Amino acid sequence: AQSVTQPDIHITVSEGASLELRCNYSYGATPYLFWYVQSPGQGLQLLLKYFSGDTLVQGIKGFEAEFKRSQSSFNLRKPSVHWSDAAEYFCAWYSSASKIIFGSGTRLSIRP
Amino acid sequence: NAGVTQTPKFRVLKTGQSMTLLCAQDMNHEYMYWYRQDPGMGLRLIHYSVGEGTTAKGEVPDGYNVSRLKKQNFLLGLESAAPSQTSVYFCASSTTGEVAEQYFGPGTRLTVT
């Protein structure tokens, strides 16, 4: 079945350190992929999206993601995290009829 | 510009009671969605609508009904609440198109005892 998988449930990084959150997809063709962020007590906000073309996608808040077909991955990265980046991050893919399917999420904690 | 709003923010129901959650958007979006969020399961689509007067089932529609009588509103109903429906409910809206960004409301936390 087509899906996205986020293998890490919870990650803790130190403030100022680099970050990489993993997302693997299972899909025959090139999927449309998204990363959303959910701050505590809030709804979700789109960080970035990939449709086609350049495999390195820039998003808001200094985040980027790289689409790697050979690894079926769409990992989210940030070179230096801030305490305000503590949140839950969801990888998602476009299914059909404007439906988006979300992964199970990765909770990011920041160590002072 | 309020974006997507949800009413109420919190609710506690007893098993068997009914309630309606209201979602409103002021962005003139065609598409609207209802999700539920449970720990470790991400967001799961309950029902969605691609325009006024239309609704369709998502991934987990059982026990819920929806209506889209006005373009800006999307109502989610629970006719007979069950403890398994304890969850956080999110509404979202988007423009038309395959890869349109979905804009989310702040959520409604529902507890069924």
Side-chain angles (χ1 to χ4, degrees):
Chain A
Q2 298 156 353
S3 66
V4 291
T5 303
Q6 296 181 249
D8 303 306
I9 296 173
H10 183 205
I11 285 181
T12 300
V13 300
S14 298
E15 190 168 15
S18 63
L19 171 70
E20 183 167 23
L21 301 181
R22 296 185 291 166
C23 173
N24 297 106
Y25 67 89
S26 170
Y27 192 73
T30 299
Y32 296 157
L33 295 164
F34 309 83
W35 274 101
Y36 279 81
V37 60
Q38 183 182 28
S39 297
Q42 308 276 330
L44 278 70
Q45 181 184 21
L46 180 68
L47 283 176
L48 49 80
K49 57 188 176 184
Y50 172 77
F51 306 150
S52 64
D54 194 348
T55 56
L56 186 62
V57 181
Q58 300 296 322
I60 62 171
K61 304 186 181 188
F63 285 91
E64 65 179 27
E66 186 170 12
F67 174 73
K68 292 186 177 179
R69 185 188 305 277
S70 62
Q71 298 177 18
S72 298
S73 69
F74 186 56
N75 294 350
L76 182 71
R77 301 195 296 244
K78 186 170 185 178
S80 176
V81 297
H82 186 261
W83 64 266
S84 60
D85 293 324
E88 188 147 21
Y89 292 80
F90 293 93
C91 183
W93 65 282
Y94 172 81
S95 170
S96 62
S98 288
K99 290 186 289 184
I100 293 177
I101 307 299
F102 290 86
S104 56
T106 297
R107 185 162 61 92
L108 174 65
S109 298
I110 307 297
R111 191 184 300 118
Chain B
N1 189 340
V4 179
T5 58
Q6 294 182 230
T7 309
K9 289 184 169 50
F10 302 94
R11 186 70 187 268
V12 178
L13 287 180
K14 291 188 182 343
T15 297
Q17 288 185 319
S18 64
M19 77 163 294
T20 300
L21 280 65
L22 171 63
C23 175
Q25 53 95 4
D26 61 3
M27 295 174 283
N28 201 36
H29 285 169
E30 286 294 331
Y31 295 175
M32 296 187 75
Y33 310 82
W34 274 109
Y35 294 92
R36 59 177 291 172
Q37 183 178 32
D38 302 292
M41 302 191 73
L43 276 75
R44 293 181 292 169
L45 183 64
I46 305 171
H47 286 281
Y48 65 102
S49 168
V50 297
E52 181 179 319
T54 74
T55 62
K57 294 180 180 180
E59 184 183 356
V60 288
D62 293 342
Y64 305 95
N65 56 77
V66 288
S67 64
R68 183 98 181 269
L69 299 180
K70 294 183 179 181
K71 185 177 184 179
Q72 64 268 35
N73 295 338
F74 194 30
L75 278 62
L76 178 70
L78 286 72
E79 291 186 349
S80 180
S84 61
Q85 295 177 304
T86 294
S87 188
V88 182
Y89 292 85
F90 287 97
C91 176
S93 70
S94 73
T95 59
T96 58
E98 287 184 331
V99 289
E101 175 180 354
Q102 291 190 10
Y103 293 81
F104 283 80
T108 295
R109 183 173 294 276
L110 174 65
T111 302
V112 183
T113 62

